[in-house]
Amino acid sequence: MRIVLILIVAAWGIIALLTFATTSSKSLDAKLTAAYLLAWPVLAIALFLNEPVPLWLAVPTLFGFLPWFLAGPHLYAIVRDPSRSRPDEIIGIPRGYWKWGGIGSILLGLAFDGFV
């Protein structure tokens, strides 16, 4: 099972790096999306390996899975049709959602830290 997990992570890493390399001539939105595809799992694994992690840091990282999950289809769409990229969005999600979602998830983590 360990070899299967290592192969999955290695395949993901190679594909993410190739995706990041192929977006070098694309829009800023494509570059940010490819960087998020590459960086979020690295952050999640780093936090997992450094347990115990405070909940104010773990909860936003956990919620970061949702945009990561949607980043692949968004990247595919904006690479095929660059006009689908909007300046007020990051990875296809409006900046306000990022800001308030980040603040809310940190506060939720702080609340969990206080109760647990």
Side-chain angles (χ1 to χ4, degrees):
M1 185 65 180
R2 182 177 286 196
I3 293 173
V4 171
L5 290 174
I6 290 170
L7 289 174
I8 290 171
V9 170
W12 160 81
I14 291 169
I15 291 169
L17 285 173
L18 289 173
T19 302
F20 187 72
T22 58
T23 59
S24 63
S25 63
K26 303 295 181 187
S27 68
L28 178 62
D29 192 19
K31 291 176 190 174
L32 287 174
T33 304
Y36 193 76
L37 281 171
L38 184 63
W40 181 83
V42 171
L43 175 64
I45 290 170
L47 286 178
F48 177 71
L49 293 176
N50 291 312
E51 291 210 18
V53 176
L55 289 175
W56 66 268
L57 191 57
V59 171
T61 304
L62 176 70
F63 286 148
F65 172 74
L66 296 173
W68 180 82
F69 187 68
L70 298 172
H74 175 71
L75 181 61
Y76 180 74
I78 62 173
V79 167
R80 287 186 63 212
D81 183 15
S83 66
R84 295 190 63 178
S85 180
R86 294 191 174 92
D88 63 335
E89 293 181 349
I90 300 172
I91 311 174
I93 301 171
R95 290 181 193 269
Y97 286 109
W98 282 101
K99 180 175 70 173
W100 293 111
I103 291 170
S105 64
I106 289 171
L107 291 176
L108 186 63
L110 286 171
F112 285 162
D113 245 351
F115 292 120
V116 175

